[in-house]
Amino acid sequence: MNFESYDLTLNRSNYVRCELGWELPLLFSQKLDDYDLWMVWAGSGTMQLHDGNIELHPGMCIWMRPGGLYLSQQDNTNRLGVSAQHFDLINPSTGKRPRDKDLPPQVIHMPDIPAITGTMRTIARLNTVGQQARNKTSKQALASAQLLMRGLLMEVCYQAHVPKLHLSPTDHMHRSIITQLAADMTASPQDIDSIESLATDAGYSPAHFSRVFKHIMGISPQRHLMESRIHRARHLLIETDWSITRIAQVMGYNDVYFFSRQFKQITGQTPSSVR
């Protein structure tokens, strides 16, 4: 699909962990008047489409479109984490949306959950800033969000045409567990006590967990947790007036100097320079 032929408009953005009892009712489908790129980053559930039911798990991406059917329920013992980007694509020459046959399939599996999740969180944040204010900064935020969204849609289209791996039930189980844990680490790194406890809770020995995690994610769990903590710390430095010491402690660092060294290693900046 050639996105250059279409004007992109970002509408609502959302990034949430669904509440107990949450469901997506028929009214949602009936009122859907734009596209909604809907991706699961945590939890499990089911969704009913016109052509059947699908299981929801981390990495599932649904390109919802007007006229479709999207009824969803979650497993309340494993609540869904979802990012939703409402948007529109209009050809300025014709004033029309793309034909359905020119769009990718409605359901696409996105393999690199932490990267995609980070992009969608950034789009949601920038779009919120852009929609709520009317000044130069908000216009820049909205323009950045639109550029990121174009890149994300191109990645979705690419993944829709990449040959899929034929996994054994055991490999699929490992991939499902690890990708969800990676998403949880990205979303709430401050809640992870240690890689050892995470591995034990998931039913792995620490050594086996590290091997499986790196095989699936391409990065060690220790490195992924460190990067997730540092990226979250960077957001807190920008968005709050908390002291560097307090942010370090919230992210699980007892030594603020060690935190500062890791922060510079990951971001290329010192914590104080971010402010």
Side-chain angles (χ1 to χ4, degrees):
M1 178 178 174
N2 182 14
F3 287 102
E4 299 301 320
S5 302
Y6 295 90
D7 289 337
L8 170 68
T9 302
L10 273 178
N11 300 322
R12 303 189 311 278
S13 296
N14 216 346
Y15 186 93
V16 297
R17 194 73 182 253
C18 298
E19 299 79 9
L20 283 173
W22 173 93
E23 62 180 18
L24 204 59
L26 178 61
L27 185 63
F28 172 84
S29 301
Q30 293 172 337
K31 288 190 171 184
L32 186 63
D33 59 1
D34 59 3
Y35 298 119
D36 184 3
L37 193 67
W38 202 86
M39 179 171 158
V40 178
W41 51 265
S44 61
T46 59
M47 178 173 284
Q48 180 184 345
L49 308 175
H50 275 312
D51 54 358
N53 295 341
I54 59 172
E55 297 291 326
L56 298 177
H57 53 77
M60 291 295 291
C61 184
I62 298 94
W63 186 320
M64 300 179 180
R65 51 206 75 176
L69 177 67
Y70 309 100
L71 305 178
S72 182
Q73 291 184 327
Q74 68 176 349
D75 176 355
N76 282 316
T77 65
N78 189 19
R79 289 158 41 220
L80 286 171
V82 173
S83 179
Q85 306 289 341
H86 284 262
F87 66 100
D88 225 334
L89 292 170
I90 300 294
N91 187 314
S93 300
T94 64
K96 295 181 179 180
R97 292 174 172 140
R99 297 173 300 178
D100 274 357
K101 69 176 185 178
D102 293 330
L103 295 174
Q106 289 190 90
V107 181
I108 308 105
H109 184 268
M110 304 298 289
D112 193 348
I113 297 173
I116 299 297
T117 299
T119 300
M120 296 188 85
R121 290 181 71 177
T122 301
I123 292 171
R125 177 176 58 82
L126 291 171
N127 190 38
T128 299
V129 172
Q131 298 285 354
Q132 290 180 346
R134 291 293 181 269
N135 53 39
K136 183 177 180 180
T137 300
S138 68
K139 290 179 181 178
Q140 291 173 338
L142 191 56
S144 297
Q146 289 172 335
L147 284 173
L148 285 172
M149 189 66 186
R150 280 190 182 274
L152 179 59
L153 293 175
M154 292 173 68
E155 175 67 11
V156 168
C157 289
Y158 169 74
Q159 291 297 336
H161 296 95
V162 171
K164 303 305 177 191
L165 297 174
H166 296 287
L167 302 175
S168 69
T170 299
D171 287 339
H172 182 77
M173 178 196 69
H174 285 312
R175 186 170 293 271
S176 178
I177 292 172
I178 295 300
T179 52
Q180 179 168 330
L181 289 175
D184 289 342
M185 291 161 73
T186 300
S188 304
Q190 69 276 14
D191 294 335
I192 308 299
D193 293 329
S194 68
I195 297 300
E196 289 73 18
S197 62
L198 195 67
T200 301
D201 290 344
Y204 295 89
S205 70
H208 184 49
F209 177 74
S210 293
R211 286 194 299 271
V212 174
F213 191 101
K214 187 169 185 178
H215 174 71
I216 292 172
M217 303 304 300
I219 187 174
S220 72
Q222 293 83 359
R223 178 75 182 191
H224 179 62
L225 180 58
M226 179 179 71
E227 290 184 357
S228 297
R229 285 174 170 170
I230 295 301
H231 289 315
R232 180 57 186 156
R234 188 175 187 278
H235 281 292
L236 291 174
L237 285 166
I238 295 171
E239 297 169 356
T240 74
D241 59 358
W242 291 0
S243 68
I244 293 173
T245 299
R246 181 180 179 184
I247 291 173
Q249 290 173 343
V250 168
M251 288 298 112
Y253 291 87
N254 295 321
D255 185 340
V256 69
Y257 298 105
F258 180 62
F259 165 75
S260 296
R261 287 198 300 273
Q262 286 201 337
F263 190 96
K264 187 170 184 180
Q265 177 187 345
I266 297 298
T267 68
Q269 299 173 288
T270 63
S272 57
S273 69
V274 171
R275 288 177 162 164

